[in-house]
């Protein structure tokens, strides 16, 4: 049984390819998506594997105690679990300010639910938005009083409630170090609330799709029929996932067994603010994300 939980944010600094392993339409290597929302996500099993690999470089002696053994897995289970990462904010190209962070009522409602369940105080509710409009935190993203995203225009009033949400995200979703300050401030000023349908359009159609060519090892030239397309999450995408911890599990009691608090402290201490690689195409620089654990100011919540 998991006894502690924390809220972890994942912020992409390069394109990220967490693949599905099957082709959909013209995209040969699509990213993972939730079936019911079609929002991009990252499976908890993939996150755990990537984080385990990174952790093994820091503390190889403790990795099996935290994540479970690689061999003889029936001996005992790992003491830490990562839930699926769900989408919070998606970068959309804007006529003003280069891009905006787009959110929707459903992405904010799910964030609030997950934050509350993991013990993070949330003093806001997602504002409503009409189906043909948007809501902004600052008029500087408007062009002639219109919000212009890609080829779409929206009437977009300011919202004090959305400003509260933007401040909350800036305070909780990114590390507080200096190198992240421009992006914390951009979240405060360039957060945009879109209707769920408009948000779904962008997260389905505004990802990064790259053509690749397979090279023939013998000739060193393009292989016949070797053109394929790979989908990536764009840089500046924000997701969140719950992290759970239990006391160390074992058949034979170790000399100094780790409690759930020990496990969570170990995980957050090693991972908070760190850059790790998730998903495929690591050798081409893909999959670099920053991990950040939201601070509640209180002891971690019991799961």
């Amino acid at each position: 049984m998991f006894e502690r939980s924390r809220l972890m944010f994942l912020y992409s600094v390069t394109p990220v390819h967490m693949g599905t392993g099957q082709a959909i339409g013209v995209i040969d290597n699509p990213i993972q998506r939730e079936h019911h929302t079609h929002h991009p996500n990252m499976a908890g099993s993939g996150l755990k594997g990537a984080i385990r690999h990174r952790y093994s470089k820091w503390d190889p002696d403790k990795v099996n105690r935290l994540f479970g053994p690689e061999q003889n897995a029936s001996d005992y289970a790992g003491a830490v679990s990562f839930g699926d990462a769900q989408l919070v904010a998606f970068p959309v190209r804007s006529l003003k300010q280069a891009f905006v962070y787009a959110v929707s009522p459903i992405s904010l409602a799910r964030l609030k639910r997950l934050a509350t369940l993991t013990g993070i105080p949330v003093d806001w509710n997602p504002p409503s938005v009409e189906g043909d409009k948007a809501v902004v935190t600052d008029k500087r993203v408007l062009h002639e009083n219109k919000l212009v995203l890609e080829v779409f225009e929206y009437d977009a009033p300011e919202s004090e409630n959305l400003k509260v949400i933007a401040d909350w995200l800036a305070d909780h979703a990114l590390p507080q170090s200096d190198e992240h300050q421009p992006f914390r401030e951009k979240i405060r000023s360039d957060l945009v609330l879109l209707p769920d349908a408009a948000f779904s359009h962008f997260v389905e159609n505004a990802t990064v799709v790259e053509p690749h060519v397979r090279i023939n090892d013998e000739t060193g030239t393009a292989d016949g029929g070797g053109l394929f397309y790979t989908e990536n999450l764009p840089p500046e995408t924000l997701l969140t996932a719950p992290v759970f911890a239990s006391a160390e599990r074992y058949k034979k009691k170790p000399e100094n067994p780790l409690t759930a608090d020990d496990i969570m402290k170990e995980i957050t201490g090693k991972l908070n603010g760190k850059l790790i690689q998730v998903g495929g195409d690591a050798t081409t620089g893909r999959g670099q994300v920053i991990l950040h654990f939201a601070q509640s100011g209180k002891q971690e919540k019991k799961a």
Side-chain angles (χ1 to χ4, degrees):
M1 175 181 176
F2 293 111
E3 304 167 49
R4 294 289 181 266
S5 63
R6 288 289 296 270
L7 186 68
M8 181 178 72
F9 285 95
L10 302 94
Y11 188 92
S12 65
V13 296
T14 69
V16 178
H17 179 73
M18 289 283 274
T20 65
Q22 60 183 7
I24 299 177
V26 299
I27 299 177
D28 301 284
N29 299 317
I31 58 174
Q32 295 174 2
R33 293 181 179 273
E34 295 175 333
H35 182 72
H36 61 302
T37 66
H38 221 232
H39 291 182
N41 74 330
M42 297 181 185
S45 57
L47 289 178
K48 183 178 180 180
I51 292 171
R52 178 194 179 110
H53 176 74
R54 188 70 179 90
Y55 195 95
S56 66
K57 308 300 181 183
W58 294 323
D59 197 341
D61 295 331
K62 197 177 289 184
V63 65
N64 285 350
R65 297 175 67 180
L66 271 60
F67 294 89
E70 288 188 325
Q71 299 179 346
N72 301 320
S74 61
D75 287 351
Y76 60 93
V80 62
S81 174
F82 296 84
D84 291 356
Q86 62 191 39
L87 183 64
V88 176
F90 189 81
V92 179
R93 184 175 59 176
S94 172
L95 185 61
K96 299 292 289 293
Q97 304 306 118
F99 72 93
V100 297
Y101 293 97
V103 295
S104 75
I106 192 64
S107 76
L108 291 178
R110 298 177 77 192
L111 169 62
K112 179 176 181 178
R113 177 179 63 186
L114 197 55
T116 302
L117 291 173
T118 53
I120 307 299
V122 179
D123 57 356
W124 48 263
N125 289 305
S128 59
V129 56
E130 297 181 28
D132 58 347
K133 295 184 178 180
V135 177
V136 300
T137 57
D138 194 313
K139 288 185 177 180
R140 74 175 193 163
V141 301
L142 302 183
H143 174 71
E144 297 180 350
N145 293 319
K146 297 283 188 179
L147 175 66
V148 183
L149 304 180
E150 299 285 356
V151 297
F152 300 95
E153 288 187 352
Y154 301 90
D155 290 324
E158 287 182 284
S159 166
E160 290 300 321
N161 192 10
L162 189 62
K163 291 179 182 178
V164 172
I165 296 171
D167 287 339
W168 188 95
L169 282 171
D171 292 339
H172 288 83
L174 284 176
Q176 297 301 303
S177 50
D178 290 344
E179 65 270 23
H180 300 291
Q181 182 178 358
F183 302 96
R184 294 196 303 269
E185 295 308 312
K186 187 170 179 62
I187 287 176
R188 294 185 199 277
S189 60
D190 297 353
L191 192 72
V192 169
L193 179 72
L194 297 178
D196 289 321
F199 183 75
S200 293
H201 170 82
F202 286 114
V203 303
E204 292 181 28
N205 297 286
T207 53
V208 180
V209 178
E210 300 174 326
H212 293 260
V213 177
R214 186 169 56 246
I215 301 300
N216 186 298
D217 290 336
E218 294 182 0
T219 65
T221 60
D223 204 356
L227 177 66
F228 61 95
Y229 292 89
T230 296
E231 184 182 24
N232 296 273
L233 268 181
E236 322 307 332
T237 301
L238 179 66
L239 303 97
T240 189
V243 180
F244 305 101
S246 71
E248 186 177 3
R249 307 177 193 220
Y250 45 77
K251 283 186 176 180
K252 182 179 179 181
K253 186 175 181 180
E255 184 176 348
N256 294 302
L258 301 172
T259 67
D261 286 329
D262 295 332
I263 296 289
M264 188 62 78
K265 184 177 180 180
E266 177 75 21
I267 288 295
T268 57
K270 284 288 198 304
L271 296 178
N272 199 36
K274 295 298 192 297
L275 186 70
I276 71 163
Q277 195 279 331
V278 300
D281 296 332
T283 58
T284 57
R286 299 297 184 259
Q288 300 296 321
V289 300
I290 296 165
L291 305 183
H292 179 67
F293 289 85
Q295 297 295 321
S296 66
K298 301 178 181 178
Q299 188 180 29
E300 290 88 349
K301 188 175 179 64
K302 292 185 177 180

